[in-house]
Amino acid sequence: MSTENSVKIAVVGAGAAGCYLAQALQRSLSAAEIVIFDRYASPFGLIRYGVAADHQHTKAITRQFERMFRSPDIRFAGGVHIGEGAEAQLSVNDLAAQFDAVVLATGRYEDRPLGVLGEELQGVFGAGAITRRLNSAPNATQALDELGDEIVIVGAGNVAMDVLRFLAKPASLYAGSDIDDEALEEYARGPAKRVTVLSRSSAAKSAFDPQMLKEIIDLDSVHLTAYGVESPDGDIDARGSARLELVGSGNGSSGGSHDVQVDLHFGAEPVELLGDARVTGVALVRQSERVIIDATSVITAIGFELGDTRLVSAAWSSEESTDASVFEPSDSGKVAPGVYRTGWLKRGATGGVPENRACAKSVAAEIEADLQSGELAPRSDKAGWVGLPADVRELAVSYSDWLRLDEHERAGAGAERVRRKVKTAQDMIRVARGASS
Ligand SMILES: Cc1cc2nc3c(=O)[nH]c(=O)nc-3n(C[C@H](O)[C@H](O)[C@H](O)COP(=O)(O)OP(=O)(O)OC[C@H]3O[C@@H](n4cnc5c(N)ncnc54)[C@H](O)[C@@H]3O)c2cc1C
């Protein structure tokens, strides 16, 4: 249990990075008060709202945080938005007034814009908006019945593969997942006949994990054709060879019912989205040749960027900062005296869940070093949790409240699902605090 002289640390964001950070600090600091804030009533960030619903083995990573959250030194404070806007309950400065250190672990969740002509056309969607809807993220509204049957995915990383798998996978194969049933039904009304994936890189050097493509090739519903495979660039590592082999093995392979034609284009640079009001095609350049691909919709899966930058700019500077460089990835987690960052917010939107562990450990080590050097010293005028406004403390969702919501979601799942998520931030708080629905 913390004492008056123990260091008080606020962590903003209960995703993988925030959880690993708190775990690392708990292990290394014998007496510390650690409060993990999240804007939602649930912890786990993108493990809950990004990782695909049919990859429950990945979502099970959250189990390793259970012991930490049950410890008396760690407090989960859900449903508390930290920032500067109208929806925020507290600012970073409010936290800095009561905690010796504030660690930002708020991730990056906005879809990165493609930056080509036609991006604003109707029928162009970000992969984040689609995956949030499939994961019943709070207030996700992306309709899935307007995708049409000729869908182009721009990008070929693992998020693109998650989207492709969803588009190609029969609804009947979602047993044991927590997919959003309404979203699945919406899509099933008019599923894709053809999905085209555009990768700027060669087949060997594309960003997807070979296992991700294998899972798609193994679906009976998929018939795969690859274009532009013949131009490997530079040295190819083992994963590159595995990618090439898979693309080759899948090429022209005949599945069972051939429900979905999947076209993979490598070395393909999208240069323009075509259409008047709504997108009708994608112009790409491959080996100096302009190619047009028809599209009823386009899904961009080219990475993520910061959402609301006001949280971060407030932490970097007391004045309003407009300097984009402060949002750049950095080796150090230190942002300003007593303010640190970790996870996707620190490194950029790269790396899977486990990669946040090493990142969090290195930031925890920076905090410890600052404590040892005296640069960061526990101050008696910092009251930690009890110093925060009473109304915020009363309304915050505790870890045991979250367990109530968790239980509610599991109990409400049908026979084919592992959970049915409560879908608005307000309802999540109500259920967590004991309302029946
Ligand atoms: C679609 C998708 C699929 C993925 N699939 C996989 C996968 O299969 N396997 C894998 O290993 N990795 C996967 N990843 C990557 C993985 O999700 C990230 O590595 C990881 O989530 C990054 O952790 P983080 O804590 O930095 O960010 P996040 O997980 O985004 O956590 C940030 C947390 O901060 C909270 N927050 C944000 N702003 C505020 C605020 N102002 N106040 C309070 N709280 C706030 C958010 O609610 C969230 O809980 C996927 C990512 C995406 C986007």
Side-chain angles (χ1 to χ4, degrees), residues 12-19 37-40 42-47 49-52 55 58 61 80-83 105-109 127-128 131 159 162 212 304 311 342-345 347 350-354 356:
V12 186
C19 289
F37 295 88
D38 204 284
R39 60 188 162 159
Y40 297 139
S42 57
F44 311 132
L46 286 170
I47 305 177
Y49 291 128
V51 170
H55 278 184
T58 307
I61 289 178
V80 183
H81 195 116
I82 311 295
T106 48
R108 295 177 192 240
Y109 49 86
T131 52
V159 172
D162 277 345
M212 295 288 279
F304 298 91
L311 164 93
T342 188
W344 273 17
L345 184 66
R347 307 191 315 278
T350 64
V353 173
N356 296 292

Side-chain angles (χ1 to χ4, degrees), residues 112-420:
R112 186 180 294 156
L114 197 53
V116 303
L117 210 63
E119 182 155 34
E120 71 300 335
L121 289 169
Q122 280 169 32
V124 180
F125 309 105
I130 305 276
T131 52
R132 276 198 292 278
R133 178 72 206 285
L134 295 174
N135 261 313
S136 312
N139 313 325
T141 53
Q142 184 59 68
L144 296 184
D145 49 7
E146 52 171 307
L147 293 174
D149 56 12
E150 299 243 24
I151 303 168
V152 174
I153 301 174
V154 180
N158 286 341
V159 172
M161 292 299 135
D162 277 345
V163 173
L164 170 59
R165 195 175 67 257
F166 166 72
L167 298 174
K169 188 169 181 165
S172 57
L173 295 185
Y174 277 93
S177 77
D178 61 351
I179 192 143
D180 187 290
D181 281 309
E182 286 78 26
L184 189 61
E185 278 159 27
E186 253 171 48
Y187 177 65
R189 278 179 219 142
K193 295 198 174 102
R194 178 185 301 273
V195 185
T196 304
V197 178
L198 303 181
S199 172
R200 277 200 308 196
S201 308
S202 67
K205 299 213 166 155
S206 287
F208 62 85
D209 285 333
Q211 180 55 35
M212 295 288 279
L213 182 59
K214 180 164 187 329
E215 213 181 313
I216 292 157
I217 290 175
D218 285 349
L219 291 170
D220 279 348
S221 48
V222 165
H223 181 254
L224 186 95
T225 309
Y227 300 86
V229 185
E230 60 287 341
S231 54
D233 46 351
D235 295 339
I236 297 171
D237 62 11
R239 284 156 69 82
S241 304
R243 284 188 200 100
L244 273 175
E245 202 178 307
L246 272 169
V247 167
S249 74
N251 208 354
S253 72
S254 49
S257 51
H258 288 193
D259 287 334
V260 190
Q261 170 66 37
V262 173
D263 290 344
L264 304 179
H265 288 253
F266 296 101
E269 169 101 36
V271 288
E272 190 178 346
L273 306 187
L274 309 169
D276 289 333
R278 192 179 167 94
V279 72
T280 55
V282 180
L284 61 92
V285 171
R286 193 176 55 223
Q287 291 177 330
S288 318
E289 193 190 335
R290 188 175 159 103
V291 178
I292 308 276
I293 310 255
D294 290 342
T296 52
S297 61
V298 172
I299 300 173
T300 61
I302 56 162
F304 298 91
E305 57 182 25
L306 279 172
D308 186 350
T309 56
R310 287 170 299 176
L311 164 93
V312 189
S313 56
W316 254 272
S317 157
S318 53
E319 294 145 35
E320 193 67 21
S321 172
T322 51
D323 180 4
S325 68
V326 299
F327 309 129
E328 292 295 314
S330 160
D331 285 341
S332 167
K334 203 183 307 186
V335 169
V339 185
Y340 304 81
R341 62 173 164 163
T342 188
W344 273 17
L345 184 66
K346 172 179 180 289
R347 307 191 315 278
T350 64
V353 173
E355 282 168 77
N356 296 292
R357 186 158 183 254
C359 175
K361 276 173 103 172
S362 77
V363 176
E366 281 187 71
I367 295 172
E368 280 165 55
D370 287 349
L371 280 166
Q372 265 161 20
S373 73
E375 186 180 325
L376 190 64
R379 278 178 32 185
S380 56
D381 60 330
K382 307 246 177 177
W385 175 252
V386 297
L388 295 178
D391 58 338
V392 175
R393 282 185 284 131
E394 273 156 31
L395 286 174
V397 166
S398 68
Y399 186 68
S400 51
D401 290 340
W402 148 248
L403 291 179
R404 191 179 296 123
L405 170 59
D406 183 35
E407 178 53 36
H408 172 94
E409 291 186 343
R410 289 177 192 280
E416 299 266 282
R417 302 285 177 263
V418 290
R419 77 166 64 231
R420 184 177 170 83

